[in-house]
Amino acid sequence: MLNIGYIIPLICFWHTITNEISKYKHLDISNNIISLIHCLLFMVHHDNDYNVEYAVHMSIGYYVYDLIYIVSCIYKSRSKDELNRRYPFIIHHFIGLYLLNACISETGESKFHLLYGYNLLEKSNIMLYVSYYLHKEYANYFHLNVVSEFFQLLWYSYYRIIKFFLFGFNNKNHFFQFRYPTQVVIVILYFMGVIWSYKLTKKNINNFNTIKRLYILKYNNE
């Protein structure tokens, strides 16, 4: 059962940590670091089967905090471009909140499978945060960013497309025991992963073509 008493302190917890990191880093980078911290904390709790119920509330608190942050960015900017850039994250967070609430509501094997699936989704995001950080902090190191984006594609696609699909396929009987809205949300999350993997693939192809052009120019100049 959802414990509201946990949520508000956890929102304040994420806000406080973000403010502390923001003393040394730009706010967007700070928020990216917080996302990575949240991801790693949930994974540690889940993989060690330690106080997982609290970890779910911790994730809910994080998503609520991040939604507030995203909405505040859109409001301050009052720009359509900012809204277009951030609305996929709003949709993602609402879906995440629904899935986390479903994790609390379910019991037994259903709860186990939802938590395992959510943990896979969190693992898939690790290289997203790493790549974003490198891109912001080391923007002039083109080859470093190319390598990080390539590993991001491999890591993300493996967990979101292959691992997540195989887990769902091998446990399809449990999938059809979930409530219909939960089934729809899981399918949406899977296809969001496919779409993002496609975008990462296009980005990597562009990176490869850019490197090829640079080497051709270097060769011709020599």
Side-chain angles (χ1 to χ4, degrees):
M1 181 177 176
L2 183 66
N3 190 333
I4 300 297
Y6 285 161
I7 303 302
I8 294 177
L10 284 165
I11 294 171
C12 295
F13 166 76
W14 292 117
H15 177 69
T16 301
I17 296 180
T18 305
N19 282 344
E20 287 302 311
I21 299 176
S22 296
K23 294 176 182 178
Y24 311 98
K25 298 289 183 182
H26 187 273
L27 188 56
D28 280 346
I29 296 175
S30 301
N31 217 52
N32 181 67
I33 293 171
I34 290 300
S35 298
L36 177 60
I37 291 171
H38 156 256
C39 174
L40 295 175
L41 280 175
F42 185 88
M43 285 168 51
V44 168
H45 276 266
H46 179 271
D47 292 346
N48 292 282
D49 196 21
Y50 174 72
N51 209 352
V52 178
E53 194 81 11
Y54 183 78
V56 172
H57 283 82
M58 177 185 68
S59 285
I60 291 173
Y62 163 75
Y63 277 126
V64 173
Y65 159 74
D66 206 43
L67 274 172
I68 294 171
Y69 168 74
I70 290 170
V71 171
S72 69
C73 288
I74 294 171
Y75 178 77
K76 288 175 185 176
S77 172
R78 304 195 181 202
S79 162
K80 188 175 180 181
D81 289 339
E82 185 72 11
L83 176 62
N84 290 337
R85 186 169 75 89
R86 297 206 182 254
Y87 86 85
F89 298 100
I90 295 175
I91 296 171
H92 174 272
H93 283 15
F94 274 113
I95 290 174
L97 285 169
Y98 176 87
L99 192 61
L100 287 164
N101 186 61
C103 289
I104 294 174
S105 304
E106 296 288 349
T107 57
E109 286 290 314
S110 295
K111 187 185 191 78
F112 168 81
H113 284 88
L114 278 177
L115 285 170
Y116 186 88
Y118 177 76
N119 191 52
L120 282 180
L121 297 176
E122 285 301 321
K123 283 184 179 179
S124 72
N125 289 330
I126 291 176
M127 278 305 300
L128 291 178
Y129 304 134
V130 172
S131 188
Y132 181 89
Y133 179 83
L134 292 174
H135 180 72
K136 290 294 183 181
E137 289 287 89
Y138 303 97
N140 295 327
Y141 292 80
F142 175 70
H143 288 84
L144 174 64
N145 283 284
V146 166
V147 171
S148 76
E149 286 176 353
F150 177 68
F151 279 105
Q152 178 186 350
L153 170 63
L154 296 180
W155 181 277
Y156 183 87
S157 299
Y158 169 71
Y159 279 102
R160 280 290 178 115
I161 297 180
I162 300 172
K163 191 87 172 174
F164 195 52
F165 174 80
L166 289 176
F167 173 69
F169 181 79
N170 292 331
N171 297 278
K172 53 184 176 292
N173 292 334
H174 291 285
F175 173 80
F176 290 109
Q177 289 174 4
F178 295 141
R179 289 179 296 176
Y180 182 71
T182 303
Q183 295 178 25
V184 171
V185 163
I186 292 171
V187 172
I188 290 173
L189 281 170
Y190 181 78
F191 280 103
M192 286 177 74
V194 172
I195 292 169
W196 192 252
S197 294
Y198 170 72
K199 290 183 176 181
L200 288 174
T201 301
K202 286 181 66 177
K203 185 184 289 188
N204 274 272
I205 291 171
N206 289 334
N207 288 340
F208 174 78
N209 289 333
T210 300
I211 290 174
K212 188 168 69 172
R213 285 195 298 270
L214 288 173
Y215 276 105
I216 290 172
L217 285 172
K218 183 180 178 181
Y219 177 79
N220 289 335
N221 290 333
E222 290 175 354

